[in-house]
Short mmCIF file of all heavy atoms in Angstrom, two decimals:
data_model
loop_
_atom_site.label_atom_id
_atom_site.label_comp_id
_atom_site.label_asym_id
_atom_site.label_seq_id
_atom_site.Cartn_x
_atom_site.Cartn_y
_atom_site.Cartn_z
N PRO F 6 23.20 173.63 -63.55
CA PRO F 6 23.33 175.06 -64.03
C PRO F 6 22.77 175.09 -65.44
O PRO F 6 22.77 174.21 -66.21
CB PRO F 6 24.89 175.30 -64.08
CG PRO F 6 25.40 174.11 -63.04
CD PRO F 6 24.47 172.97 -63.17
N SER F 7 22.16 176.19 -65.63
CA SER F 7 21.40 176.37 -66.98
C SER F 7 22.33 176.40 -68.12
O SER F 7 21.96 176.11 -69.18
CB SER F 7 20.62 177.79 -66.90
OG SER F 7 21.40 178.84 -66.57
N GLU F 8 23.55 176.93 -67.89
CA GLU F 8 24.51 176.95 -69.06
C GLU F 8 25.30 175.63 -69.12
O GLU F 8 26.16 175.64 -70.04
CB GLU F 8 25.49 178.08 -68.69
CG GLU F 8 26.53 177.82 -67.63
CD GLU F 8 26.01 178.19 -66.26
OE1 GLU F 8 24.78 178.34 -66.09
OE2 GLU F 8 26.83 178.10 -65.33
N GLY F 9 25.01 174.69 -68.33
CA GLY F 9 25.74 173.37 -68.34
C GLY F 9 25.32 172.56 -69.65
O GLY F 9 24.34 172.66 -70.21
N SER F 10 26.26 171.63 -69.98
CA SER F 10 25.94 170.69 -71.03
C SER F 10 26.34 169.25 -70.43
O SER F 10 27.03 169.11 -69.44
CB SER F 10 26.89 170.92 -72.22
OG SER F 10 28.28 170.91 -71.78
N PRO F 11 25.75 168.20 -71.04
CA PRO F 11 25.92 166.78 -70.54
C PRO F 11 27.48 166.54 -70.41
O PRO F 11 28.19 166.77 -71.30
CB PRO F 11 25.30 165.94 -71.55
CG PRO F 11 24.15 166.82 -72.09
CD PRO F 11 24.77 168.24 -72.10
N THR F 12 27.82 165.96 -69.27
CA THR F 12 29.20 165.70 -68.99
C THR F 12 29.33 164.29 -68.56
O THR F 12 28.65 163.75 -67.89
CB THR F 12 29.75 166.57 -67.94
OG1 THR F 12 29.62 167.94 -68.17
CG2 THR F 12 31.23 166.39 -67.67
N VAL F 13 30.53 163.52 -69.08
CA VAL F 13 30.68 162.17 -68.65
C VAL F 13 30.97 162.09 -67.20
O VAL F 13 31.46 163.03 -66.65
CB VAL F 13 31.77 161.50 -69.57
CG1 VAL F 13 31.28 161.39 -71.03
CG2 VAL F 13 33.08 162.18 -69.43
N MET F 14 30.62 161.00 -66.63
CA MET F 14 30.71 160.70 -65.25
C MET F 14 32.26 160.86 -64.81
O MET F 14 32.47 161.56 -63.70
CB MET F 14 30.28 159.39 -64.90
CG MET F 14 29.83 159.11 -63.47
SD MET F 14 28.94 157.57 -63.42
CE MET F 14 28.90 157.19 -61.55
N VAL F 15 33.21 160.39 -65.53
CA VAL F 15 34.49 160.43 -65.02
C VAL F 15 35.00 161.97 -65.03
O VAL F 15 35.83 162.29 -64.09
CB VAL F 15 35.54 159.61 -65.91
CG1 VAL F 15 35.67 160.37 -67.32
CG2 VAL F 15 36.89 159.49 -65.28
N ASP F 16 34.51 162.79 -65.82
CA ASP F 16 34.89 164.12 -65.75
C ASP F 16 34.23 164.98 -64.59
O ASP F 16 34.84 165.79 -64.01
CB ASP F 16 34.58 164.96 -67.04
CG ASP F 16 35.62 164.67 -68.21
OD1 ASP F 16 36.73 163.99 -67.90
OD2 ASP F 16 35.30 165.02 -69.34
N CYS F 17 33.11 164.57 -64.26
CA CYS F 17 32.38 165.11 -63.14
C CYS F 17 33.19 164.88 -61.89
O CYS F 17 33.39 165.74 -60.93
CB CYS F 17 30.97 164.47 -62.93
SG CYS F 17 29.89 165.17 -64.16
N ALA F 18 33.74 163.66 -61.67
CA ALA F 18 34.46 163.22 -60.54
C ALA F 18 35.84 164.02 -60.58
O ALA F 18 36.36 164.50 -59.54
CB ALA F 18 34.76 161.76 -60.47
N LEU F 19 36.47 164.04 -61.76
CA LEU F 19 37.81 164.80 -61.94
C LEU F 19 37.65 166.21 -61.63
O LEU F 19 38.48 166.75 -60.75
CB LEU F 19 38.15 164.60 -63.43
CG LEU F 19 39.45 165.38 -63.78
CD1 LEU F 19 40.77 164.98 -63.03
CD2 LEU F 19 39.67 165.42 -65.31
N HIS F 20 36.63 166.86 -62.03
CA HIS F 20 36.45 168.36 -61.72
C HIS F 20 36.12 168.59 -60.23
O HIS F 20 36.51 169.54 -59.69
CB HIS F 20 35.38 168.85 -62.53
CG HIS F 20 35.54 168.79 -64.10
ND1 HIS F 20 34.60 168.75 -64.98
CD2 HIS F 20 36.63 168.60 -64.81
CE1 HIS F 20 35.20 168.71 -66.23
NE2 HIS F 20 36.44 168.56 -66.02
N ALA F 21 35.46 167.47 -59.62
CA ALA F 21 35.18 167.73 -58.18
C ALA F 21 36.45 167.79 -57.35
O ALA F 21 36.64 168.59 -56.47
CB ALA F 21 34.36 166.52 -57.77
N VAL F 22 37.42 166.75 -57.73
CA VAL F 22 38.62 166.73 -56.98
C VAL F 22 39.48 168.03 -57.38
O VAL F 22 40.06 168.63 -56.42
CB VAL F 22 39.40 165.53 -57.46
CG1 VAL F 22 40.74 165.50 -56.72
CG2 VAL F 22 38.70 164.25 -57.00
N GLU F 23 39.41 168.36 -58.64
CA GLU F 23 40.19 169.65 -58.97
C GLU F 23 39.72 170.87 -58.12
O GLU F 23 40.59 171.55 -57.63
CB GLU F 23 40.14 169.87 -60.43
CG GLU F 23 40.90 171.03 -60.91
CD GLU F 23 40.80 171.30 -62.43
OE1 GLU F 23 40.39 170.37 -63.16
OE2 GLU F 23 41.20 172.44 -62.82
N GLU F 24 38.36 171.04 -58.07
CA GLU F 24 37.85 172.19 -57.39
C GLU F 24 38.15 172.12 -55.87
O GLU F 24 38.51 173.13 -55.24
CB GLU F 24 36.27 172.28 -57.52
CG GLU F 24 35.83 172.62 -58.99
CD GLU F 24 34.46 172.16 -59.30
OE1 GLU F 24 33.63 171.64 -58.34
OE2 GLU F 24 33.97 172.40 -60.35
N LEU F 25 38.11 171.02 -55.27
CA LEU F 25 38.50 170.78 -53.95
C LEU F 25 40.00 171.10 -53.66
O LEU F 25 40.33 171.72 -52.72
CB LEU F 25 38.21 169.36 -53.29
CG LEU F 25 36.68 169.08 -53.28
CD1 LEU F 25 36.44 167.57 -53.17
CD2 LEU F 25 36.14 169.75 -52.01
N MET F 26 40.89 170.65 -54.49
CA MET F 26 42.32 170.86 -54.42
C MET F 26 42.64 172.40 -54.54
O MET F 26 43.38 172.91 -53.76
CB MET F 26 42.97 170.13 -55.36
CG MET F 26 43.01 168.63 -55.15
SD MET F 26 44.05 167.57 -56.15
CE MET F 26 45.66 168.03 -55.33
N LYS F 27 41.84 173.11 -55.44
CA LYS F 27 42.06 174.59 -55.58
C LYS F 27 41.74 175.27 -54.28
O LYS F 27 42.36 176.24 -53.94
CB LYS F 27 41.18 175.10 -56.65
CG LYS F 27 41.72 174.79 -58.05
CD LYS F 27 40.72 175.38 -59.14
CE LYS F 27 41.26 175.08 -60.49
NZ LYS F 27 40.40 175.70 -61.61
N GLU F 28 40.70 174.79 -53.52
CA GLU F 28 40.25 175.51 -52.40
C GLU F 28 40.89 175.06 -51.15
O GLU F 28 40.97 175.79 -50.12
CB GLU F 28 38.67 175.28 -52.25
CG GLU F 28 38.01 176.05 -51.24
CD GLU F 28 36.60 175.87 -51.15
OE1 GLU F 28 35.96 175.19 -52.12
OE2 GLU F 28 35.97 176.32 -50.13
N HIS F 29 41.42 173.78 -51.12
CA HIS F 29 41.89 173.23 -49.79
C HIS F 29 43.31 172.75 -50.02
O HIS F 29 43.46 171.64 -50.50
CB HIS F 29 40.92 172.09 -49.37
CG HIS F 29 39.54 172.54 -49.12
ND1 HIS F 29 39.18 173.18 -48.02
CD2 HIS F 29 38.42 172.34 -49.91
CE1 HIS F 29 37.86 173.44 -48.17
NE2 HIS F 29 37.38 172.90 -49.27
N PRO F 30 44.27 173.49 -49.49
CA PRO F 30 45.66 173.01 -49.77
C PRO F 30 45.99 171.70 -48.91
O PRO F 30 47.01 171.04 -49.27
CB PRO F 30 46.53 174.19 -49.09
CG PRO F 30 45.56 175.02 -48.30
CD PRO F 30 44.26 174.76 -48.83
N GLU F 31 45.10 171.37 -47.93
CA GLU F 31 45.38 170.11 -47.23
C GLU F 31 44.93 168.85 -48.03
O GLU F 31 45.03 167.71 -47.60
CB GLU F 31 44.71 170.22 -45.83
CG GLU F 31 43.22 170.19 -45.84
CD GLU F 31 42.66 171.53 -46.16
OE1 GLU F 31 43.35 172.46 -46.44
OE2 GLU F 31 41.37 171.69 -45.80
N CYS F 32 44.26 169.11 -49.24
CA CYS F 32 43.71 168.00 -50.00
C CYS F 32 44.83 167.53 -50.96
O CYS F 32 45.43 168.40 -51.65
CB CYS F 32 42.58 168.54 -50.78
SG CYS F 32 41.80 167.35 -51.87
N LEU F 33 45.13 166.22 -51.04
CA LEU F 33 46.02 165.70 -52.07
C LEU F 33 45.45 164.28 -52.45
O LEU F 33 44.43 163.80 -51.95
CB LEU F 33 47.25 165.28 -51.27
CG LEU F 33 47.36 164.39 -50.10
CD1 LEU F 33 48.78 163.89 -49.98
CD2 LEU F 33 46.91 164.95 -48.74
N LEU F 34 46.13 163.82 -53.50
CA LEU F 34 45.68 162.55 -54.12
C LEU F 34 46.93 161.61 -54.41
O LEU F 34 47.83 162.06 -55.01
CB LEU F 34 45.05 162.97 -55.53
CG LEU F 34 44.69 161.70 -56.46
CD1 LEU F 34 43.68 160.88 -55.79
CD2 LEU F 34 44.07 162.20 -57.81
N TYR F 35 46.77 160.36 -54.21
CA TYR F 35 47.83 159.57 -54.46
C TYR F 35 47.33 158.06 -54.58
O TYR F 35 46.21 157.74 -54.15
CB TYR F 35 48.97 159.51 -53.35
CG TYR F 35 48.65 159.20 -52.01
CD1 TYR F 35 48.81 157.92 -51.52
CD2 TYR F 35 48.25 160.16 -51.19
CE1 TYR F 35 48.59 157.74 -50.15
CE2 TYR F 35 47.92 159.98 -49.85
CZ TYR F 35 48.19 158.70 -49.30
OH TYR F 35 47.82 158.40 -47.97
N GLY F 36 48.18 157.30 -55.38
CA GLY F 36 47.73 155.91 -55.72
C GLY F 36 48.55 155.48 -56.84
O GLY F 36 49.54 156.14 -57.29
N GLN F 37 48.16 154.26 -57.38
CA GLN F 37 48.93 153.70 -58.51
C GLN F 37 48.63 154.44 -59.73
O GLN F 37 47.46 154.52 -60.24
CB GLN F 37 48.80 152.24 -58.64
CG GLN F 37 49.23 151.47 -57.45
CD GLN F 37 48.63 150.09 -57.52
OE1 GLN F 37 48.32 149.47 -58.42
NE2 GLN F 37 48.41 149.42 -56.29
N ASP F 38 49.71 154.97 -60.56
CA ASP F 38 49.49 155.50 -61.82
C ASP F 38 48.66 156.85 -61.85
O ASP F 38 48.18 157.17 -63.05
CB ASP F 38 49.02 154.50 -62.75
CG ASP F 38 50.02 153.33 -62.92
OD1 ASP F 38 51.10 153.55 -63.33
OD2 ASP F 38 49.53 152.14 -62.71
N VAL F 39 48.47 157.39 -60.68
CA VAL F 39 47.68 158.68 -60.86
C VAL F 39 48.47 159.96 -61.06
O VAL F 39 47.92 160.98 -61.33
CB VAL F 39 46.79 158.88 -59.58
CG1 VAL F 39 45.96 157.75 -59.25
CG2 VAL F 39 47.77 159.12 -58.34
N GLY F 40 49.87 159.75 -61.14
CA GLY F 40 50.68 160.89 -61.30
C GLY F 40 50.70 161.55 -62.78
O GLY F 40 49.87 161.14 -63.53
N ALA F 41 51.57 162.38 -63.02
CA ALA F 41 51.57 163.18 -64.11
C ALA F 41 51.67 162.40 -65.41
O ALA F 41 50.97 162.76 -66.43
CB ALA F 41 52.76 164.15 -64.05
N ARG F 42 52.35 161.37 -65.41
CA ARG F 42 52.59 160.64 -66.75
C ARG F 42 51.27 160.10 -67.35
O ARG F 42 50.97 160.08 -68.52
CB ARG F 42 53.53 159.38 -66.66
CG ARG F 42 55.01 159.88 -66.47
CD ARG F 42 55.98 158.68 -66.45
NE ARG F 42 57.39 159.07 -66.13
CZ ARG F 42 57.77 158.90 -64.79
NH1 ARG F 42 56.99 158.45 -63.88
NH2 ARG F 42 58.97 159.27 -64.62
#
């Protein structure tokens, strides 16, 4: 996107999951230490 700025790789992945979870209620994430803390 023309308005975009360089983004670190970990944030690109994080935002991908966030966008998917917003759109798809059947999408979830679990594993060790991924929770709120």
Side-chain angles (χ1 to χ4, degrees):
S7 57
E8 71 279 7
S10 59
T12 304
V13 293
M14 198 165 167
V15 71
D16 283 349
C17 287
L19 173 65
H20 298 157
V22 175
E23 181 177 347
E24 290 164 3
L25 288 164
M26 292 187 75
K27 283 180 180 177
E28 188 176 351
H29 302 282
E31 68 276 12
C32 178
L33 68 158
L34 169 68
Y35 57 96
Q37 295 166 29
D38 297 306
V39 301
R42 289 191 189 90

